[in-house]
Amino acid sequence: MTPSRDATHGRTRHMVDTLDRLFMEHSRELVGYLAGKLDTPELAADLCQEVYLRLQRARLTQPLANPRAYLFRIARNLLIDHQRQARARPETIPLEDTTTGLACARPCPEADVCQAQRLACVRTCLRRQPRHVRQALLWHRLEGLPQREIAARLGVSERMAGRYIEQALHACRQAIDA
């Protein structure tokens, strides 16, 4: 004996109403459970809505032995799916975040060319400087000698050695700026 179409529809409608009631009774508890496992309450609310959709899509033909456990099983499965997808996605950094920079072992080609041009400019500028001015800067910057030592090597006052260094730096800055 087969049930009539109206009887089947009536049982299905009753099951849908039961699932709606079940979700309404436990939705706050579900959101709380999901919020405890996720970063944002908004994401927990979204996943809770997904629980409802999956519950509606379930083609249950018989009453559930433990309806609350069934709801939380759906929520747990959604949570696991979400966490797997999050691990598979590359981490994103907001463009407005100025604290993080893009790490690169080598500078970009443009930076390499710019650096090479600056270095060539400084070399040309230093070749044009008098020998004692050039030497004072090289000793100071490359060898880290104090002005007193540079003055002794050049046979000038410490103040004059400082002026030589300053003169060479000023000339290099002007050459780079030009």
Side-chain angles (χ1 to χ4, degrees):
M1 188 164 183
T2 60
S4 72
R5 187 170 179 216
D6 289 339
T8 305
H9 180 70
R11 268 186 285 184
T12 306
R13 185 72 237 152
H14 174 71
M15 186 64 79
V16 169
D17 290 343
T18 303
L19 294 176
D20 282 347
R21 237 179 296 115
L22 172 68
F23 181 79
M24 293 304 288
E25 287 174 15
H26 298 286
S27 62
R28 279 191 179 164
E29 193 178 358
L30 278 171
V31 170
Y33 166 74
L34 291 168
K37 306 277 185 190
L38 296 166
D39 296 335
T40 64
E42 293 82 14
L43 184 56
D46 288 347
L47 284 183
C48 190
Q49 288 301 314
E50 186 63 30
V51 168
Y52 178 75
L53 293 174
R54 293 225 179 149
L55 188 63
Q56 293 302 312
R57 280 188 239 133
R59 302 204 186 276
L60 300 174
T61 55
Q62 298 179 18
L64 297 167
N66 189 343
R68 183 179 174 280
Y70 182 71
L71 263 182
F72 277 85
R73 170 60 66 165
I74 293 172
R76 184 173 167 273
N77 289 344
L78 283 170
L79 187 61
I80 290 168
D81 289 346
H82 171 76
Q83 289 169 339
R84 282 182 187 150
Q85 289 172 357
R87 279 193 301 267
R89 273 189 304 258
E91 185 177 341
T92 58
I93 300 171
L95 293 176
E96 303 83 35
D97 188 0
T98 58
T99 60
T100 58
L102 298 176
C104 178
R106 280 189 47 80
C108 65
E110 292 86 3
D112 282 343
V113 169
C114 186
Q115 187 67 21
Q117 288 173 341
R118 284 183 179 166
L119 185 58
C121 186
V122 167
R123 283 184 176 148
T124 302
C125 176
L126 285 176
R127 271 189 237 115
R128 292 183 183 152
Q129 297 300 309
R131 185 182 104 30
H132 60 279
V133 171
R134 177 179 59 243
Q135 194 60 56
L137 180 65
L138 293 176
W139 281 335
H140 182 66
R141 290 296 172 122
L142 298 181
E143 295 183 26
L145 294 178
Q147 286 183 13
R148 182 178 309 131
E149 178 69 28
I150 295 168
R153 287 185 180 190
L154 292 175
V156 295
S157 70
E158 191 175 327
R159 186 173 175 179
M160 186 55 76
R163 285 187 185 162
Y164 290 163
I165 295 167
E166 193 176 313
Q167 181 183 345
L169 285 173
H170 181 70
C172 289
R173 282 190 198 111
Q174 280 187 325
I176 289 172
D177 292 342

